[in-house]
């Protein structure tokens, strides 16, 4: 599989010795939907800025589609699309004017651009609103427009910084669908940051957990969850019976705990093992009183790899780091 | 670079036209200035009328206009060149305004992450501002002509003189827009921009011959006023209006000065902007 983004020992130190990104390495494969997950101030936006040529690299190396980010910035710029965190659509222009402007900036020929603009507007359901000033759009509509403005030059990679920040739950789900569609149907490799665990879980093929400038873990959401030992099936039997050996013999089981008539079974994928477990229990003439299955969440993973709660209040240190970084963004 | 500059200039102008208040003020303000300055501050009215008979007074006024105001038929005629120059200075002063907002709203980052020439970010603001200044200046020129006892052109005034007036104003506007756009290139706040504009605008205006002739100033101020590009533009415009069908050599010095002023500031501003937009 082709690697679209390659990052090696990337470090960014802002003036004042603030280490925003600390020696990170990762690859993004072609066609992936790669998520960068971490709390505010973790270094996500800085990483995007480094990869999109908006900030200079202190040390390490990054390539996008084979182009060195610091040596061939213009080659990188031509081949990527960006959906920034801020709403950067021009309010005082119409929807289609915003996209046509982007088309001109990327030198897309007029007749090609017109067709693409129609298709893209259709894709995100903005055809009817295209001729209206963006100042009349709702937050969700603006975000949808923002998604397609970055696509008019048909980039191979799309960088999205917190694509659903500040949107309500319904709108967020709609945006997720569009992101999936762009990724699968338009075959755009997507690199996105998010501080919503459920977003990384729902959308991404691969996610990296970043905290205080360092990548703490990476893999598919499934793999990440396995870091904390996989899923847990809890079975309560109608009467006490020793099934320890049977449960341990099932494929994928890592640990079996017994507490009276209740068993806790830790394993990789619960769904796959449940039929075998149930059949085995009945075959041994035992009845099940209750069965439940708990899947680890990325919250638990985050706790495991960073040693702190994801949703805890921003520490004073993280807050001041973030302030410094924002101040430097200018 | 041209496609991008044009696309971004059109963006600026669309936004300008869609804000009728800004267009209205750009037109209205200089008209008020002409009416107010031309009437209320008319220096020929400052002499107490009790010192002589009305006939003598009229003679005195005429001789003031002749000696001090370069033979302008009235003060408004003298003033028009100054007000036009001032209009272009004031519109140019905020040429960097949209940059400050683009930086603030993240639009600038999106531009910087696209493969456009950095110079186009600078040039688009400059060109848009020149257009935003030139259109009102044309309207003000014709409005001054239509005011009763307003601007009086010399009977020998030709279309070429008219074109030369607007070439002069174009050069002045190009220079100042470049200067003020470059100044705003790294600003993050409107307040800083307003502060700088206020700091520069009035001194630039009062150290020029826009409102009063250089000869009425003390020596040190004359020295400044003589090199002030606003004086050069106001004087050239005035000469064209009062004398008409001018021998080009009379205003050549002023024109050359303004061409150099515009060229140097556009190039220097462009280079400064490219440096200012470098990634940190």
């Amino acid at each position: 599989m082709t690697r679209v983004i390659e990052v090696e020992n990337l470090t960014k130190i802002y003036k004042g010795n603030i280490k925003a990104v600390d020696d990170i390495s990762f690859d993004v494969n072609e066609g992936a939907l790669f998520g960068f997950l971490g709390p505010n101030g973790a270094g996500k936006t800085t990483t995007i800025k480094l990869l999109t040529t908006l900030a200079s690299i202190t040390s390490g190396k990054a390539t996008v589609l084979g182009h060195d980010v610091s040596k061939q910035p213009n080659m990188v710029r031509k081949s990527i699309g960006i959906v920034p965190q801020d709403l950067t659509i021009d309010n005082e222009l119409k929807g289609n004017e915003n996209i046509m402007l982007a088309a001109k900036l990327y030198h897309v020929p007029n007749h090609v651009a017109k067709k693409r603009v129609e298709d893209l507007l259709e894709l995100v359901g903005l055809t009817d609103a295209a001729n209206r000033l963006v100042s009349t759009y709702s937050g969700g509509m603006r975000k949808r427009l923002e998604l397609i403005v970055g696509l008019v030059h048909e980039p191979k990679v799309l960088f999205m910084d917190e694509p659903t920040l500040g949107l309500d739950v319904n709108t967020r789900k709609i945006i997720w669908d569009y992101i999936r569609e762009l990724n699968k149907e338009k075959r755009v490799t997507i690199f996105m940051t998010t501080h919503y665990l459920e977003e990384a879980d729902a959308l991404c093929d691969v996610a990296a957990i970043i905290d205080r400038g360092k990548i703490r873990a990476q893999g598919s959401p499934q793999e990440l969850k396995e870091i904390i030992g996989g899923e847990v099936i809890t079975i309560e039997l109608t009467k006490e019976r020793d099934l320890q050996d049977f449960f341990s013999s099932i494929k994928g089981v890592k640990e079996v705990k017994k507490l009276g008539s209740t068993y806790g079974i830790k394993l990789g994928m619960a769904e796959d093992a449940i039929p075998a477990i149930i059949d085995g229990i009945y075959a041994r003439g035992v009845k099940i009183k209750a069965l439940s299955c708990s899947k680890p969440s990325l919250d638990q993973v985050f706790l495991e790899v960073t040693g702190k709660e994801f949703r805890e209040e921003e520490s004073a240190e993280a807050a001041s780091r973030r302030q410094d970084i924002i101040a430097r963004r200018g | 670079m041209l496609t991008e500059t044009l696309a971004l200039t059109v963006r600026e102008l669309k936004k300008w036209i869609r804000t009728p208040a800004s267009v209205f003020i750009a037109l209205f303000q200089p008209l008020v200035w002409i009416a107010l300055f031309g009437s209320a501050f008319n220096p020929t009215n400052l002499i107490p009328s009790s010192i002589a008979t009305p006939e003598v007074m009229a003679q005195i006024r005429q001789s003031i206009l002749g000696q001090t105001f370069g033979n302008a038929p009235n003060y408004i005629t003298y003033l028009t060149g100054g007000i036009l120059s001032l209009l272009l200075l004031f519109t140019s002063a905020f040429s960097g305004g949209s940059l400050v907002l683009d930086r603030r709203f993240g639009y600038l980052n999106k531009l910087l992450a696209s493969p456009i020439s950095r110079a186009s970010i600078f040039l688009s603001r400059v060109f848009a501002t020149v257009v935003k200044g030139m259109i009102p200046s044309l309207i003000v020129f014709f409005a001054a002509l239509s005011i009763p006892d307003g601007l009086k052109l010399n009977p020998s005034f030709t279309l070429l003189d008219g074109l030369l007036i607007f070439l002069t104003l174009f050069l002045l506007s190009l220079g100042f827009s470049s200067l003020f756009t470059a100044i705003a290139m790294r600003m993050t706040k409107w307040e800083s921009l307003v502060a700088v504009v206020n700091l520069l605008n009035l001194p630039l205006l009062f150290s020029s011959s826009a409102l009063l002739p250089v000869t009425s100033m003390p020596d040190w101020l004359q020295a400044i006023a003589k090199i002030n590009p606003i004086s050069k533009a106001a004087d050239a415009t005035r000469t064209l209006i009062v004398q008409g069908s001018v021998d080009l050599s009379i205003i050549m010095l002023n024109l050359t000065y303004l061409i150099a002023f515009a060229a140097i500031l556009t190039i220097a501003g462009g280079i400064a902007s490219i440096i200012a937009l470098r990634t940190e």
Side-chain angles (χ1 to χ4, degrees):
Chain A
M1 215 181 263
T2 327
R3 282 174 182 165
V4 170
I5 302 173
E6 290 174 276
V7 174
E8 265 173 65
N9 308 108
L10 192 66
T11 300
K12 173 67 184 179
I13 302 171
Y14 282 107
K15 276 179 223 147
N17 217 17
I18 302 147
K19 215 177 238 184
V21 170
D22 188 1
D23 193 24
I24 60 170
S25 300
F26 62 89
D27 297 321
V28 178
N29 289 327
E30 190 176 358
L33 214 168
F34 188 97
F36 228 46
L37 173 68
N40 294 332
K44 301 185 302 287
T45 300
T46 302
T47 307
I48 281 216
K49 289 191 125 190
L50 293 171
L51 294 177
T52 56
T53 77
L54 288 176
S56 64
I57 292 170
T58 308
S59 69
K61 194 184 171 198
T63 61
V64 175
L65 292 158
H67 307 298
D68 191 301
V69 171
S70 42
K71 290 183 193 132
Q72 304 159 287
N74 238 22
M75 294 301 288
V76 174
R77 286 174 193 142
K78 274 181 196 164
S79 47
I80 61 172
I82 295 173
V83 181
Q85 191 176 107
D86 318 289
L87 285 171
T88 60
I89 293 293
D90 197 323
N91 267 339
E92 296 160 71
L93 295 182
K94 294 171 184 167
N96 51 10
E97 286 175 339
N98 267 292
I99 319 182
M100 285 307 285
L101 176 60
K104 290 214 171 72
L105 296 182
Y106 284 88
H107 294 273
V108 180
N110 241 337
H111 61 283
V112 181
K114 275 192 185 128
K115 179 83 185 74
R116 274 188 208 165
V117 169
E118 269 173 38
D119 291 349
L120 288 169
L121 285 167
E122 178 92 44
L123 179 76
V124 292
L126 283 177
T127 309
D128 293 338
N131 222 2
R132 267 165 47 194
L133 285 181
V134 175
S135 51
T136 66
Y137 282 24
S138 69
M141 288 166 80
R142 274 179 216 202
K143 202 76 217 187
R144 269 140 69 194
L145 184 61
E146 190 95 57
L147 286 182
I148 57 172
V149 164
L151 286 171
V152 73
H153 57 294
E154 301 201 326
K156 298 216 167 54
V157 197
L158 186 63
F159 288 89
M160 294 194 287
D161 196 3
E162 302 275 4
T164 64
L165 189 71
L167 299 178
D168 63 56
V169 180
N170 276 334
T171 315
R172 187 186 297 170
K173 296 234 160 92
I174 293 168
I175 298 286
W176 285 356
D177 286 338
Y178 289 129
I179 292 175
R180 281 192 200 103
E181 207 165 330
L182 293 178
N183 179 236
K184 300 288 174 264
E185 284 183 21
K186 298 252 162 198
R187 305 197 170 277
V188 183
T189 307
I190 293 176
F191 178 95
M192 62 178 276
T193 69
T194 180
H195 69 271
Y196 297 118
L197 293 154
E198 62 276 23
E199 185 163 281
D201 204 3
L203 273 180
C204 300
D205 313 324
V206 188
I209 293 177
I210 182 168
D211 183 46
R212 276 165 283 167
K214 277 190 176 300
I215 291 183
R216 308 286 164 167
Q218 60 178 313
S220 67
Q222 195 54 46
E223 284 165 349
L224 287 175
K225 287 174 195 166
E226 279 169 18
I227 291 174
I228 62 160
E231 304 174 358
V232 176
I233 299 174
T234 312
I235 300 170
E236 195 184 346
L237 304 173
T238 48
K239 56 184 177 208
E240 199 173 334
R241 182 80 182 267
D242 187 6
L243 294 176
Q244 193 100 22
D245 291 342
F246 162 63
F247 289 141
S248 303
S249 72
I250 290 168
K251 195 175 161 241
V253 170
K254 290 170 185 158
E255 201 184 338
V256 181
K257 276 184 187 154
K258 180 175 179 291
L259 189 74
S261 60
T262 306
Y263 283 90
I265 305 161
K266 208 178 214 184
L267 73 176
M269 286 277 279
E271 280 101 338
D272 299 352
I274 285 175
I277 290 175
I278 293 174
D279 289 349
I281 292 173
Y282 278 95
R284 282 164 182 77
V286 191
K287 283 195 171 141
I288 298 170
K289 192 176 172 192
L291 185 147
S292 72
C293 184
S294 81
K295 289 174 171 280
S297 66
L298 282 176
D299 288 84
Q300 290 166 291
V301 180
F302 193 83
L303 179 65
E304 179 85 19
V305 298
T306 66
K308 61 178 192 189
E309 289 275 354
F310 188 82
R311 296 189 190 285
E312 79 190 15
E313 286 298 304
E314 246 183 301
S315 66
E317 182 234 15
S320 82
R321 253 170 67 86
R322 183 168 168 75
Q323 280 311 311
D324 283 335
I325 292 170
I326 289 171
R328 251 147 256 286
R329 268 182 219 161
Chain B
M1 187 175 89
L2 280 176
T3 325
E4 303 139 22
T5 306
L6 185 68
L8 290 173
T9 307
V10 170
R11 167 182 176 239
E12 296 290 310
L13 292 176
K14 270 185 185 163
K15 291 171 69 154
W16 181 59
I17 292 169
R18 284 173 192 169
T19 318
S22 66
V23 182
F24 179 72
I25 290 168
L27 292 176
F28 191 68
Q29 204 182 20
L31 287 177
V32 171
W33 281 60
I34 287 199
L36 275 183
F37 275 95
S39 313
F41 296 135
N42 186 347
T44 60
N45 288 345
L46 294 179
I47 319 141
S49 53
S50 56
I51 59 166
T53 58
E55 296 77 41
V56 179
M57 279 304 299
Q59 271 182 350
I60 293 175
R61 290 212 178 101
Q62 213 46 55
S63 65
I64 290 177
L65 286 167
Q67 272 180 22
T68 318
F69 294 110
N71 277 322
N74 58 22
Y75 182 59
I76 290 192
T77 302
Y78 176 85
L79 193 65
T80 303
I83 293 286
L84 288 175
S85 310
L86 181 146
L87 160 70
L88 288 160
L89 168 69
F90 283 14
T91 43
S92 304
F94 284 99
S95 59
S98 68
L99 257 176
V100 178
L101 293 179
D102 277 355
R103 186 179 279 282
R104 198 158 197 137
F105 293 141
Y107 197 94
L108 186 65
N109 266 342
K110 205 154 80 170
L111 289 181
L112 289 174
S114 66
I116 61 170
S117 132
R118 275 36 192 159
S120 67
I121 296 176
F122 166 79
L123 287 175
S124 59
R125 320 285 155 152
V126 173
F127 292 157
T129 309
V130 171
V131 175
K132 287 184 211 173
M134 294 304 286
I135 294 173
S137 70
L138 255 171
I139 296 174
V140 168
F141 181 79
F142 288 107
L145 272 178
S146 57
I147 300 175
D149 199 25
L151 172 63
K152 290 191 178 104
L153 299 173
N154 188 294
S156 63
F157 188 87
T158 62
L159 183 64
L160 178 69
D161 295 319
L163 290 176
L164 281 173
I165 288 179
F166 287 97
L167 172 67
T168 309
L169 296 173
F170 168 79
L171 292 169
L172 184 73
S173 173
L174 188 60
F176 277 124
S177 300
S178 298
L179 173 71
F180 283 102
T181 305
I183 288 177
M185 205 44 92
R186 293 214 61 139
M187 280 185 185
T188 50
K189 288 187 194 159
W190 252 100
E191 289 85 340
S192 339
L193 181 68
V194 173
V196 170
V197 168
N198 280 340
L199 182 74
L200 294 179
N201 256 356
L202 290 185
L204 275 170
L205 171 65
F206 287 116
S207 67
S208 79
S209 64
L211 304 178
L212 289 167
V214 174
T215 46
S216 64
M217 297 173 183
D219 289 347
W220 65 270
L221 192 55
Q222 280 199 25
I224 300 172
K226 277 178 185 157
I227 55 164
N228 187 333
I230 300 170
S231 306
K232 302 286 178 195
D235 291 345
T237 311
R238 203 165 274 149
T239 310
L240 288 160
I241 289 173
V242 175
Q243 299 184 13
S245 61
V246 168
D247 179 3
L248 211 58
S249 61
I250 301 175
I251 57 161
M252 196 36 98
L253 198 66
N254 284 5
L255 265 183
T256 316
Y257 183 95
L258 286 168
I259 290 170
F261 167 75
I264 290 170
L265 280 178
T266 309
I267 293 167
I271 293 170
S273 302
I274 291 168
I275 294 170
L277 291 175
R278 270 199 200 145
T279 46
E280 274 180 65

